[in-house]
Amino acid sequence: MRLLFLSNTRNNENKAVVDLLKTWIKPDGKIAYFSASPDPTRKYFTEICEWFKKVVGRENLYYLDANSTLEEINSLSTADAIFLSGGNTYHLLKALRDTGADQLIKKAKTPIIGVSAGGLCLTPDIGSASAENDIGLTDSRGLGLVDFGLYPHYIQNEICVTEINEFMKFFKIKEVIALPEYSGLAVIEKELKRLGEVVRFTK
């Protein structure tokens, strides 16, 4: 298992993150980008493509979302890396479930990159998401590829600390890892590797 958790990619030139991605994804590797919500103009997809090309030196990305065909979703099985986008976490989790992408991701042997909402979906529960649950999703369980919770876009202040502690208490999660804006966390098998500042909250 190779997972990479990020808060964002925009203006992110964290050398540790970039170097890791270069070792994980071969130069001509196919990267499956799964959008949290349909992006008809491909605005956000284009931003990610530009980041991969300019910063990471990889440019072979293709787009998936809740409206993708079964054949397109099944291509996750042959992708060299999977990228789960930021955006509305509830929309993304529902899209992963509805398309069956969640089951393919659970079986994936290739690197999985989760940015903000995408990272939250890899954890046991997305209850710490700040997005509005405007679709009325009642089951907030994530894919559970790790046993810790995630708090992206972390700022060291009383509000964030209170939210994290309440999340841990309500969802009975023993540990939450908080990621400041340009930090990253890699999970290689069961080993955690900090890529910049990472704050761990435990009961």
Side-chain angles (χ1 to χ4, degrees):
M1 178 173 63
R2 287 174 291 171
L3 309 176
L4 175 61
F5 295 88
L6 300 172
S7 283
N8 68 43
T9 53
R10 186 173 294 160
N11 300 320
N12 191 342
E13 298 186 6
N14 182 328
K15 186 176 185 301
V17 169
V18 173
D19 289 347
L20 181 72
L21 287 174
K22 286 180 177 179
T23 62
W24 278 6
I25 308 171
K26 58 188 179 181
D28 61 345
K30 297 181 298 179
I31 304 167
Y33 169 101
F34 199 108
S35 182
S37 302
D39 180 16
T41 65
R42 301 293 191 266
K43 174 184 176 182
Y44 299 107
F45 175 63
T46 299
E47 282 187 13
I48 299 301
C49 289
E50 290 174 350
W51 180 78
F52 265 101
K53 183 177 181 179
K54 177 182 177 181
V55 180
V56 186
R58 306 292 185 266
E59 54 184 311
N60 191 6
L61 282 79
Y62 64 94
Y63 177 92
L64 300 170
D65 66 18
N67 298 320
S68 294
T69 66
L70 179 60
E71 182 180 359
E72 289 170 336
I73 294 298
N74 284 339
S75 72
L76 288 167
S77 299
T78 57
D80 294 294
I82 297 169
F83 184 100
L84 302 181
S85 83
N88 187 301
T89 315
Y90 297 96
H91 291 191
L92 177 56
L93 183 58
K94 185 177 188 300
L96 293 174
R97 288 176 181 164
D98 289 351
T99 59
D102 59 339
Q103 298 305 313
L104 294 173
I105 290 169
K106 287 180 180 181
K107 298 174 184 177
K109 303 298 182 184
T110 51
I112 302 169
I113 305 151
V115 177
S116 190
L120 281 165
C121 286
L122 300 175
T123 67
D125 201 288
I126 67 168
S128 63
S130 59
E132 181 184 358
N133 184 9
D134 55 1
I135 57 174
L137 191 71
T138 56
D139 183 355
S140 63
R141 289 176 298 175
L143 275 62
L145 297 187
V146 293
D147 59 4
F148 56 79
L150 181 71
Y151 190 96
H153 312 292
Y154 174 73
I155 300 172
Q156 188 174 353
N157 60 30
E158 187 175 342
I159 294 175
C160 288
V161 172
T162 299
E163 287 180 347
I164 291 169
N165 285 328
E166 289 179 351
F167 169 68
M168 292 173 67
K169 181 179 180 180
F170 186 82
F171 291 98
K172 299 179 181 179
I173 291 178
K174 295 180 179 179
E175 180 178 18
V176 169
I177 294 182
L179 283 182
E181 213 57 51
Y182 299 113
S183 292
L185 177 75
V187 179
I188 305 170
E189 297 308 326
K190 293 186 178 181
E191 180 183 354
L192 305 186
K193 182 178 182 180
R194 301 183 185 201
L195 307 172
E197 180 187 0
V198 172
V199 183
R200 301 177 75 171
F201 289 81
T202 57
K203 282 190 175 180

